[in-house]
Amino acid sequence: MTATSTARPAAPVRPHRPAATELRLSAFGPHRGAVLPLGPLTFFAGPSGSGKTTVLKAYEALTRLASGEELAEVFTDPAACVPEGAVADGQGRRGFRIGCTVDGPLGPVHLDLAVQAEPDLRVVSERLTHEGQELLTTALRDPRQPRVQAAWYTAGAVPVTRAPLPDDRMATALLPLRVAGRTEGELLVLAAAEQVLVALRSVFACDPQPQRMRAPAAAGEGLLRRGCDNLAAVLRRTGGECANRHHALVKALGAGCTGPVVDLTAEDLPDGAVRALIGRGPRGVTPVGRLGEGELRYLALALVLLTGPRVLDVEQEVGVPDAHRALTVLADGFDRAMDARQVRALTELAGEVCRRGHLRLTGTVADASPVRGADGVTVVDLVP
């Protein structure tokens, strides 16, 4: 696949907030040699089969590996990640390669992974680099052993430190447990790894499922799940936490729903569940479950944009203040089931939120026309 991008200038992310600014799909699914920019608000567009969803799958895979998950948990069908037509070598080995660039206090840090998918799933090499300096490299020396040989920059009496690491995890995620930080080189390695890990772990993959959002939710669930099926319970919590954010959500919902919207409340039911209601003024109330699919997806995505990480089911990086972290929302099918009016309104809301610098959004759209040219939006066109 090839890609082109168009963008209008956007306010840069503050340098103390690490964020992924580039995704590299050297060989992954339908993509070969793809270098894809990631701005504060980025949409991937293209016809069916152009690999839009695959891009977000690669991004999410990096985030899960950065959180310490094993390869087998992240890539349940690794053969599907191997580019079509890839020829196995003499030992029957085929694989894929992905990577990213994370900008932050250190400047750009590059992470690249080569994964063997067949005959066994394993990381065969990994590189973490900064300003041309290799901070971490791993290599599969003995295919009979379940480990790789790692070498990280020391810049002390010994230029590098070598040690075996497991071949089923991202080595960068293990560095904080293995590197002592006794030399300037090791401190640089740790700082680069932390920058990458903070950015990749601060990701919330969101895919609202309207058919599951219609039913009442169990009370007491304070974190919004990926499918947003517990939206009513989360609204019950957020409605009383911040009046300004609640007002902004009501206003946003009014721009994306048919009919008047004057309030958004949660009602406790006799069985202990909770359901969300839209206040219609003199017309009474409408249960959120009666909304159309597009309205439900619009509401869920607006809630995600306006709430922040402490309301979303996303890993919280211990010891990293919110002011030093930018949450990235991944939204595959951002415009799914919505009309152009709703997409434009939601894009304007996303642009407003992303300009503040504490939140980023990367999504896919089937039709880029409602988002193209919007303030701060980067559109990456994928061409088969």
Side-chain angles (χ1 to χ4, degrees):
M1 301 293 169
T2 59
T4 60
S5 66
T6 57
R8 294 184 62 180
V13 174
R14 296 177 182 176
H16 61 271
R17 288 182 174 138
T21 55
E22 182 181 83
L23 191 64
R24 291 183 296 281
L25 306 184
S26 302
F28 189 79
H31 301 282
R32 288 180 179 269
V35 180
L36 308 171
L38 298 173
L41 180 52
T42 305
F43 292 113
F44 292 95
S48 178
S50 61
K52 302 186 296 295
T53 295
T54 304
V55 171
L56 263 61
K57 285 183 178 179
Y59 195 160
E60 186 179 2
L62 288 170
T63 72
R64 295 177 63 185
L65 291 172
S67 295
E69 292 190 44
E70 296 181 3
L71 283 177
E73 296 173 320
V74 176
F75 301 107
T76 55
D77 185 10
C81 303
V82 179
E84 291 186 9
V87 179
D89 64 11
Q91 286 72 45
R93 296 175 296 191
R94 298 197 311 155
F96 51 89
R97 300 191 304 277
I98 58 178
C100 65
T101 298
V102 173
D103 209 349
L106 289 181
V109 177
H110 309 280
L111 171 69
D112 292 282
L113 287 171
V115 178
Q116 175 185 296
E118 300 170 344
D120 302 306
L121 181 63
R122 62 203 315 184
V123 177
V124 294
S125 71
E126 182 174 341
R127 294 175 70 241
L128 187 70
T129 60
H130 172 252
E131 295 184 347
Q133 175 67 55
E134 289 187 341
L135 302 181
L136 168 72
T137 60
T138 71
L140 182 64
R141 301 298 186 192
D142 185 352
R144 297 169 299 180
Q145 299 296 324
R147 58 177 178 261
V148 293
Q149 184 67 27
W152 56 84
Y153 183 56
T154 305
V158 179
V160 298
T161 297
R162 304 181 191 279
L165 291 177
D167 65 356
D168 61 350
R169 297 178 187 270
M170 179 190 286
T172 298
L174 302 176
L175 284 180
L177 302 176
R178 299 299 299 267
V179 179
R182 296 191 183 97
T183 68
E184 289 188 8
E186 288 185 337
L187 290 173
L188 177 60
V189 170
L190 288 172
E194 179 183 19
Q195 179 167 298
V196 170
L197 296 177
V198 168
L200 292 180
R201 290 174 178 174
S202 301
V203 169
F204 179 66
C206 180
D207 185 17
Q209 300 293 312
Q211 70 276 15
R212 296 165 58 187
M213 294 164 58
R214 298 186 188 282
E221 296 188 17
L223 296 178
L224 187 67
R225 294 196 290 259
R226 177 184 185 132
C228 302
D229 47 297
N230 62 333
L231 179 136
V234 175
L235 286 173
R236 184 176 186 270
R237 169 194 167 184
T238 58
E241 286 187 343
C242 179
N244 289 336
R245 286 186 177 180
H246 184 72
H247 176 74
L249 179 60
V250 172
K251 181 180 178 181
L253 185 59
C257 282
T258 301
V261 175
V262 299
D263 200 3
L264 184 60
T265 59
E267 177 187 40
D268 293 323
L269 300 177
D271 62 357
V274 59
R275 67 172 180 171
L277 302 171
I278 297 176
R280 299 292 196 178
R283 291 173 49 181
V285 298
T286 300
V288 163
R290 295 181 186 173
L291 297 180
E293 287 195 6
E295 291 175 316
L296 283 169
R297 284 185 57 83
Y298 180 98
L299 170 58
L301 289 169
L303 177 63
V304 169
L305 290 169
L306 289 168
T307 53
R310 298 195 180 280
V311 182
L312 307 176
D313 189 10
V314 60
E315 180 177 343
Q316 294 292 310
E317 195 71 4
V318 177
V320 180
D322 288 345
H324 289 207
R325 174 177 49 197
L327 174 71
T328 297
V329 175
L330 300 185
D332 191 23
F334 178 83
D335 59 345
R336 189 183 310 140
M338 286 189 274
D339 59 34
R341 172 187 59 88
Q342 292 170 320
V343 175
R344 283 192 293 268
L346 195 58
T347 302
E348 290 176 3
L349 176 63
E352 178 183 344
V353 173
C354 291
R355 280 192 291 275
R356 300 171 191 164
H358 68 277
L359 186 140
R360 299 165 68 90
L361 186 143
T362 299
T364 67
V365 290
D367 178 12
S369 56
V371 304
R372 198 182 301 276
D375 189 26
V377 171
T378 297
V379 176
V380 181
D381 294 291
L382 301 177
V383 182

